[in-house]
Amino acid sequence: MPRQTFALFDPVLAVPAIASAFRKLNPARQWRNPVMLVVYLGSLLTTVLAWRAWGAESEPPAGFIVAIAIWLWFTVLFANFAEALAEGRSKAQAASLRAVHKETWAKKLHEARHGGAVSRVLASDLRQGDVVLVEAQETIPADGEVIEGIASVDESAITGESAPVIRESGGDFSAVTGGTRVLSDWIVVRVSVDPGETFVDRMIAMVESGKRQKTPNEVALNILLVALTVVFLGVVVTLLPFSLFSVAAAGSGTPVSLTVLVALLVCLIPTTIAGLLSAIGVAGMSRMLQAKVIATSGRAVEAAGDVDVLLMDKTGTITLGNRQAAAFLAADGVREDELADAAQLASLADETPEGRSIVVLAKQRFQLRRRDMQALDARLLRFSAHTRMSGVDLGDRQVRKGAADAIRQHVDRLGGNFPQSVARQVDEVARRGSTPLVVADGRRVLGVVELKDIIKGGIRERFAQLRRMGIKTVMVTGDNRVTAAAIAAEAGVDDFLPEATPEAKLALIRQYQAEGHLVAMTGDGVNDAPALAQADVAVAMNSGTQAAKEAGNMVDLDSNPTKLIEVVETGKQMLMTRGALTTFSLANDIAKYFAIVPAALVTTYPQLAALNVMRLSSPASAILSAVIFNAVIIICLIPLALQGVAYRPLGAAQMLRRNLAIYGLGGVVVPFIGIKLIDLVLTLCGLT
Amino acid sequence: MSSHAWILLGVFLAVLLPTAKPLGIHIANVMEGRCRFAGRFEAALYRVCGIRPAEEMSWLRYASALLLFNLFGVLSVYAVQRLQAELPLNPLALPDVRPDTAFNTAISFATNTNWQAYGGESTLSHLSQMLALCVQNFLSAATGIVVAIALIRGFARQRATTLGNAWVDLTRIILYVLLPLAFVEAIFLNSQGVVQNFVGQHEVTTLQGSRSGRPLDLGQTAEATPNTPPDAAATPAAGTSAQRLAMGPLATQEAIKLLGSNGGGFMQANSAHPYANPTPLTNFVQMLSIFLIPAALCLTFGRMVGDLRQGWTLLAAMGLIFVILAIAAMHFEAQANPLLTRLGVDPVGGNMEGKELRFGIADSALFATISTLAACGAVNAMHDSFTPLGGMILLIDMQLGEVVFGGVGSGLYGMLLFAILAVFVAGLMIGRTPEYLGKKIEAREMWLSSIAVVLTPLLVLGGTAIAVLLAAGRAGIGNPGAHGFSEILYAFTSAANNNGSAFAGLSANTPFYNLTLAAVMLFGRCGVIGPVLAIAGSLAAKQRLAAGAGTLPTQGPLFVALLSATVLLVGLLNYVPALALGPLAEHLLLRAAE
């Protein structure tokens, strides 16, 4: 599924956003953002002032008031535009997601028995009580109970246990989980929950509706911005009496005009961050959507940035989903290529990833090619849950491979015996954390094939990166301690939890939280639900069960557990963008003071012109330049707000130093240059 | 700047910093109940007062206790002043203090501001000075310190609902820290010539007096003359050979005046008076004792949160800003007044107007910087006579919110509020929910710290605006033009930040200023302490998160730079227009006249 992306100011999105920017001038909508509301009221006030001054001789001149009023309105519109553009992108993203969203099909049985009439239905259309047939290589469409048949099921996506498990009707092993895969045989399942995609649909609908609750950090930041606005309001309001007093005391000049006071106020209050705040939040959700992760709330996305412990399932995240053949260990008196040859023959019928990996290994090691089955007069025996072996019959030659005890029974039945050396090898392989498969030709045991977990390429580097970000990785697996330790060491995780039961996972999360950590985890099984609910950030796989999805606060539509890293990065990016723009916005005030204060007070104390360090051409041009800069900077920063501040996996101190240099020092310097340039342009055009 | 100024600053820091650590750790031990050398006396005190020392208080109870405690302080100070004519120890038979002045003084001393609308020796009896003011100097200082301690506990504790017992904290800080320090300093000052007696006035015959019949016009007599009480002035010693010098129990009051960052002098001339601050050595010790407890509390903080580096970081940020401002003040005071230079005065002397000859430029400018930064308000030179830019530095010292060292306790909790703000913005910038010392800074903390940080500038600017709008306010101005504006701005800056020093030019002992400044002092104190204790309560309840590589480091040079930048930026941005119309305009006018 290609990720759909839009150019930043794609006309498809930008044109409706412009229209929406004007619609958002509705006072009811401005109310939500107190800082921009002040700009809005300032625009109204200057408009009234311009109206009254128009055509009359006034101080300041009507043209100046009109120019200020127009640019104040632009400030409001630019902020509205930023928000509208972010919302537009988010909606477009959700729509494209819905369109390409993959559906699973299910074979619905009209009678609750094997062999009944079957119709193909969407998994989402299944309801509680429906009965479905699931055959080999098919995905179980929903949680349910086996009512007929027996099958080996790959539940590695949920439990982390690579070895397939047997599921059969009746007894303790009858429950199956949606999203798991039947490897052999068939089962008839009665659906036990109302499954389907309703949950994800609800999520997409939520994003589309644009009803966004403010995240906790956004609320806190808003408080800071409001506080700054209040104090600057105090600064500007008291400037009028100060100016009146000074004019009287100095006996010269005119008091600061209302227009200039409004201009000063708008320049001082943090309009840059306030105008883009909402766009940043929407863009964060939208970047998640782009990564095909649906967050149930912005709160969850934000929390992802805080995470410092990542709990990951081994299977699918750290290792490839299935084990692969790594070595042939021949029994005494058997050549290795003989073993490889037999193992390959026995695996020809085995379409599981393990089986295919044996064929591939034999080919790599001994150049053994796939043979023509017809020519060999072979009869293939697929793996079945009954025999727990697979193999091939070539005439009366019976080549079999399977678990050690299954082969032992098989050989015993044929009157052979299971050599001690092979039994020792089996133990040794198991101790290494690998899975032993024993191969027999007739009643002769040839040796052991070692199946190993294969660590995903590049995962080690990923973990090193996380460590630099200050995030601890913990591998969770159903494997025993020995196996887990071996894989953990190879993958480079910081810690691991072997023989993980749902209780153990929950306890581990609680323990980390008690130590003051914020824990993220991925999961998809029913048994993950309690842990997911306990974790601070929980990403449920879309392939997982309904329970898992309800318990998590994000759903990954791709069901790719490595996504968690991306989720964390997006969360951090969202916070960083807010912090960076706040710093930038505040730092800008220094230059704006240098532009406006001498301009506003120079009539009273002409000597204050010394503060005009930018050498702006006239007081009117200075004030107008500051106001224009203040408006234009919002447009200039829209790309940054939507795409987020570039994230690099650095330590906190390094990152802070970097961002302080860019947005703090940059915030001090840029407006000096910007305001001077605008002043030059205004002067060149003869506008002042 | 002269080499003397550099050496003075260097020696000052070299003595201050090493003494801060042992005292800081001692305060931590005291507050955690590990140091109780008068344990039996303390226990007896609790029994008598019916205090259950083991009972801890929630933030609200803690705040109520302090409010009640200080309310009682206000009432008692007011009562003593209003009844002083009838009370003993009034050798000059001074009348009862005017209601508005008494009210202003009561609020002023209870809020650790020590703004003095009155002239000490000509208004208050020895009993009023000792029983009302000196006692309040201890109590208001203790109040500031225990609030800081409560906030520290908010950071140090987790999942706690209480902050300690306010009565126990107050008792311990007074008993084991303030009283012993004040005792030692009083003895030292006394040994250097600071008077300590119950004499009303001492009559002396001047050296020249008998021949010329005019009083000697030296610094000390210049101070003494306007300070003689009204009734004494009615039968003036001037014109005769005799001069009347005010006396009293100075040493005891001077010690706590400085140690508790109170600043209210016994004499109107404060630490410029030779009986209060006789030598350059006492001047040095006085400067030291102003910064001593505020500096030590940083390390108390570090100790109590279990990471001394956190304390050193705050101290370093304070030290950095202090050094910058001290150098600026000493530099500007070393500049001569161009108008005087034009009249032929040698500019090498710098700006000696309003300064004591025994201290000179550097010792006066450094004292002024320390006193204004530390919310002390003691003066050894007339701030009104500083150069415009020198005066602006003193204004800025206070406008930073009295967080650079600041008042005892109030400086630390103010600085911690700024740290919360700095951590908030910086925390976002590294992509995490901001946290300080493992405590998440969330909406509630932002609300409360915003109120505390925003309130003071609004009080300063609002108060100044009202004063310049009203005739009653403008009437107090001693100098016309920009300097007059600075005088009013200085008064409200000093009151709202609970500093108490004055630009002497303003005649502030009027009902208008007494009432408005009292209101500003009260809100400036309570409006910060309330939110600070609420933050402490909210932080104490939170879990302390573990620190890792992804956590914003709040110790080390980077955070020092960040914190000082935040203090300077947030502190200054609010006052730029006001400073432009006051000292900056005055400076530019003066330069234009050159």
Side-chain angles (χ1 to χ4, degrees), chain B residues 66 123 165 178 184 209 267 319 335-336 380 387 414 471 497 510:
Chain B
L66 290 182
T123 316
N165 185 312
L178 294 178
V184 173
M267 305 283 192
Q335 312 304 310
N380 75 347
T387 60
N497 287 292
T510 63

Side-chain angles (χ1 to χ4, degrees), chain B residues 511-557:
Chain B
F512 170 78
Y513 279 112
N514 277 335
L515 295 179
T516 47
L517 290 174
V520 165
M521 287 187 277
L522 191 63
F523 288 125
R525 181 79 163 176
C526 301
V528 178
I529 286 185
V532 164
L533 286 175
I535 290 175
S538 149
L539 289 177
K542 290 186 187 204
Q543 195 191 353
R544 206 166 166 179
L545 300 176
T551 318
L552 175 76
T554 52
Q555 74 281 331

Side-chain angles (χ1 to χ4, degrees), chain A residues 186-490:
Chain A
W186 54 265
I187 41 174
V188 174
V189 176
R190 171 170 281 132
V191 176
S192 58
V193 289
D194 274 347
E197 303 302 322
T198 51
F199 178 71
V200 170
D201 271 348
R202 215 162 62 220
M203 292 301 101
I204 296 181
M206 194 194 78
V207 173
E208 274 181 330
S209 75
K211 268 192 226 117
R212 204 174 60 85
Q213 281 199 313
K214 286 190 179 130
T215 60
N217 278 315
E218 199 177 348
V219 172
L221 180 56
N222 240 319
I223 291 167
L224 178 67
L225 298 182
V226 169
L228 287 169
T229 305
V230 168
V231 77
F232 284 129
L233 194 64
V235 170
V236 169
V237 167
T238 54
L239 185 55
L240 186 60
F242 293 175
S243 168
L244 287 168
F245 172 85
S246 299
V247 168
S252 64
T254 48
V256 181
S257 71
L258 219 48
T259 311
V260 171
L261 286 176
V262 172
L264 178 60
L265 176 63
V266 170
C267 284
L268 289 181
I269 62 176
T271 49
T272 314
I273 174 67
L276 294 171
L277 193 56
S278 148
I280 296 169
V282 177
M285 297 279 270
S286 152
R287 272 203 302 283
M288 285 286 192
L289 279 182
Q290 214 171 339
K292 302 226 161 50
V293 175
I294 298 173
T296 54
S297 68
R299 179 186 288 262
V301 180
E302 214 177 68
D306 294 346
V307 159
D308 56 0
V309 174
L310 271 190
L311 250 55
M312 279 170 299
D313 268 336
K314 181 198 75 179
T315 314
T317 313
I318 297 169
T319 61
L320 295 172
N322 305 87
R323 299 177 168 214
Q324 297 195 355
F328 296 111
L329 306 165
D332 291 342
V334 180
R335 287 199 325 279
E336 204 179 331
D337 61 329
E338 198 183 338
L339 168 65
D341 182 59
Q344 190 187 44
L345 280 171
S347 305
L348 288 174
D350 189 349
E351 283 303 320
T352 62
E354 286 93 344
R356 280 200 298 268
S357 78
I358 294 175
V359 175
V360 170
L361 184 73
K363 187 176 127 188
Q364 281 170 349
R365 294 284 303 279
F366 303 104
Q367 284 76 44
L368 295 169
R369 308 229 145 253
R370 268 178 177 272
R371 273 144 295 192
D372 187 352
M373 289 291 136
Q374 252 72 46
L376 288 171
D377 182 25
R379 199 169 65 80
L380 300 178
L381 264 109
R382 289 180 194 287
F383 178 86
S384 87
H386 297 284
T387 60
R388 291 184 296 141
M389 293 187 296
S390 63
V392 63
D393 287 348
L394 305 163
D396 12 318
R397 189 176 164 206
Q398 292 186 348
V399 185
R400 293 286 183 277
K401 75 166 204 301
D405 53 342
I407 295 289
R408 187 191 289 273
Q409 280 175 15
H410 169 76
V411 175
D412 285 351
R413 210 167 37 246
L414 292 178
N417 73 332
F418 198 85
Q420 275 306 309
S421 66
V422 174
R424 264 200 310 280
Q425 275 169 333
V426 165
D427 287 346
E428 218 167 275
V429 169
R431 211 167 23 243
R432 272 206 295 274
S434 304
T435 306
L437 276 184
V438 181
V439 180
D441 189 350
R443 55 188 208 183
R444 185 162 158 251
V445 177
L446 298 177
V448 178
V449 179
E450 181 178 357
L451 294 180
K452 258 178 89 170
D453 271 310
I454 303 299
I455 308 289
K456 279 186 174 176
I459 201 86
R460 239 191 125 82
E461 291 70 32
R462 230 43 226 272
F463 290 152
Q465 210 178 53
L466 284 169
R467 204 167 300 122
R468 279 200 299 280
M469 286 158 60
I471 297 172
K472 181 177 174 170
T473 45
V474 181
M475 181 182 87
V476 176
T477 172
D479 295 335
N480 63 47
R481 177 165 291 277
V482 179
T483 313
I487 297 165
E490 196 178 340

